[in-house]
Structures are given as structure tokens and as C-alpha cells.
Amino acid sequence: MGAGGGTLAPRVVVVSRRSELDELVARHGTRAAADWYLRERGRTLAEVVERHDALQAALTAVGAAVPADWRRGAVDRSDLPRFLFGPEDVVVAVGQDGLVANVAKYLAGQPVIGVDPEPGRNAGVLVRHRAAALAALLPAVVAGAAPTRARTMVRAALDDGQELVGLNEVYVGHASHQSARYLLSVGEPGRIRRERHSSSGVVVGSGTGATGWCASIARDRPGAPRPPAPEEAALCWFVREAWPSPVTGVALTTGRLDGDERLELVAESDGLVVFADGLEADRLTLDWGQRLTVSVASRRLNLVEP
């Protein structure tokens, strides 16, 4: 990965997303119109501008920290499905924790540095660094001297070979979250359990995702499984709002996938979707009779620690 000896110089790819101010101006045309829109909702433009400026300041500091002889790249969150990452890339995600999850699914072991542009506002679970630390951190990452943590990811694969991965969780169900019908199987060879469901979908999460969507579901589930640790090769899963009927059950609606265990769904309705980490536009489609397998992914997120 080093830049010397005639090898390809490292490339720092900065991942960000448009600020709320940028989105408001794009929607309403001017800052004045955005100001009126915010005031009607009890908010102020000054707050939004302050957060915009904090993001821009962090992006500027990150850019200044990249050595002059290194290559550079930049990608907006909305363009991630079309961006090609290289094996020598160092990825710097500047924004909220969710941005790290958004980029993780497109990587294959490249180190990721999460930069928090607003310390104290974000939870800081995945964005662990300040922009000012990048000048010293980047050479250490390239030299393999920076501490990293390999976080478990979730893999969802269709029987036709299509697949996607997520850092937090994978959702399977109707895009509208209306009732989806499927046959669920879970376990490992020799001890498979099965149940036919009509539900508003299934969520399968990693140890990282266990503090997010899965946590909100688990709070309402007596006897919910112990959530895995972020590095543990295990997943937790939940069926949302299972409906009891003469042909659909509610007994098999939560659990863990440890080791080689996997969860399988065979669609019994058309138009089901599969997406990861809230990126609904980047999804698989599951039609009647198709089989989906969800398991621990073979690749992991290589997150740089403080």
C-alpha cells in the first residue's frame, strides 16, 4: 500500500453526503425560501448553516491532511452504488455514524476512518476521529500501524447469485412494509426449524446494528436473544408484526445466527425487496418461489480505531 518503491500511491477517498442546508436550497431554490420553511416549523436557518459550516470545515481539514503525493477521490453518499473503490484506497467517511454503514457494503477490506464533523452531536460509534487527527493518522494507516477493528457484516444472497451485504442490518419484506408472505427456515443442517409467516418483514442485524433498528425491536420483545458483539461472527434476527392465522404462525419470530447457522426465506408473494443499512434504492427483488439466504458475511468492515 505504500507510495514508495515505484508502487501505486495510496488514494484517499472522502465519502460525504449533502448537508441539510444543501438539500433545503435544492428543494426550495434559495436560502430565503429555506429560512421561511424552517421558521414555519419552529426552527432557524442559523442552526442549519452552523451544521453546514461544521461539515465544510471538516472536509477542508481532511483535504489538507492528505499528503501532496497521494491520490485523491471524493464520492457523495448517493453515488456510492456507482463508485469503484480500489484495493489501495483509504476511505475517510465524514459525517454521521450511518455514513460509515452506507459505505461499508461497497468495500472489500479497505481501511475506513470515520470522521465526526460535529463532536457531541453524533453518537460517535463509527465516526471515532476528529478531522485534526488525520495528518498523523493517514500515514499510520497506510503503514499498517494504526489499530483497526474487523466488524461483522450481514450477507443476503438470492438463489440466482445476486447478493448484497450490510454493516448494520438487512431488511426483507415489501417496500411499503405491508404484509409479506414467505416460508422461513432457520438453523443448520440436522436441526432446521420452519414456519410460514405473514408479516411486515424480517430484520437481520450484526453486532454493530444491534444498537440501532434491532435494538428498537428487541425492546418490545420479551426473551429477545442476546445481541452479538460487533466483532462476533453472529447475527440477531426479528420478524416484524407476524400475523397468526390458520396457515401462518407466530412462534418462530426471533433468534440468533451463530457460526454457520443461516436464515432462509422462500417468497410466497411477489415484489418483496431486500436492502441493507437503509439504502432502499440499492436493493434486490424477491419474487414468488425465490429463495433468499441470510448469513454472516465472509468480508468485514476494517474500521480504524482511535
Side-chain angles (χ1 to χ4, degrees):
M1 242 179 119
T7 59
L8 194 63
R11 182 175 69 160
V12 174
V13 179
V14 179
V15 182
S16 61
R17 63 176 299 177
R18 292 198 305 177
S19 67
E20 184 181 9
L21 177 63
D22 288 335
E23 292 177 344
L24 285 168
V25 171
R27 187 186 315 154
H28 299 288
T30 66
R31 283 199 179 193
D35 185 24
W36 179 88
Y37 174 84
L38 289 168
R39 282 189 284 108
E40 287 292 302
R41 287 153 180 78
R43 300 180 63 197
T44 66
L45 183 64
E47 169 215 341
V48 175
V49 170
E50 180 182 3
R51 299 193 66 190
H52 172 86
D53 290 345
L55 175 61
Q56 295 306 310
L59 290 169
T60 299
V62 168
V66 180
D69 58 342
W70 289 17
R71 296 174 299 135
R72 300 165 183 253
V75 58
D76 184 82
R77 174 182 181 267
S78 61
D79 294 323
L80 283 170
R82 297 176 291 277
F83 189 84
L84 182 62
F85 289 94
E88 74 287 345
D89 288 345
V90 177
V91 180
V92 180
V94 184
Q96 298 177 345
D97 289 314
L99 188 63
V100 175
N102 294 154
V103 72
K105 62 186 292 185
Y106 302 105
L107 301 178
Q110 295 92 335
V112 179
I113 303 171
V115 173
D116 189 350
E118 300 177 273
R121 179 181 288 270
N122 297 316
V125 175
L126 299 174
V127 286
R128 309 289 303 278
H129 302 274
R130 306 292 182 260
L134 265 288
L137 185 59
L138 286 171
V141 170
V142 170
T148 60
R149 172 179 287 188
R151 289 180 175 247
T152 295
M153 300 180 71
V154 191
R155 174 180 179 266
L158 292 178
D159 49 13
D160 63 5
Q162 296 182 77
E163 68 172 56
L164 56 74
V165 297
L167 175 62
N168 286 331
E169 71 276 313
V170 163
Y171 166 80
V172 189
H174 270 292
S176 64
H177 298 265
Q178 67 186 26
S179 183
R181 297 178 69 96
Y182 53 85
L183 174 64
L184 182 146
S185 303
V186 64
E188 59 185 1
R191 57 185 191 95
I192 300 294
R193 295 173 293 158
R194 292 186 175 86
E195 188 170 66
R196 184 164 276 105
H197 287 159
S198 176
S199 79
S200 58
V202 180
V203 177
V204 185
S206 67
T208 299
T211 62
W213 194 0
C214 287
S216 67
I217 300 174
R219 277 194 292 270
D220 297 326
R221 298 290 181 92
R226 175 182 62 83
E231 309 90 345
E232 190 177 356
L235 307 171
C236 54
W237 59 271
F238 301 91
V239 176
R240 301 170 62 222
E241 301 168 320
W243 178 256
S245 78
V247 292
T248 57
V250 295
L252 194 59
T253 59
T254 185
R256 275 174 55 110
L257 302 177
D258 291 290
D260 294 330
E261 290 184 317
R262 53 191 57 207
L263 181 146
E264 291 187 349
L265 283 85
V266 177
E268 296 187 341
S269 54
D270 287 323
L272 304 188
V273 298
V274 187
F275 60 81
D277 299 333
L279 284 176
E280 297 188 38
D282 186 10
R283 67 194 191 189
L284 307 177
T285 300
L286 189 64
D287 289 321
W288 190 288
Q290 281 192 288
R291 182 185 303 272
L292 178 79
T293 302
V294 185
S295 59
V296 172
S298 59
R299 54 180 155 130
R300 294 189 167 200
L301 171 68
N302 189 19
L303 188 68
V304 178
E305 294 290 300

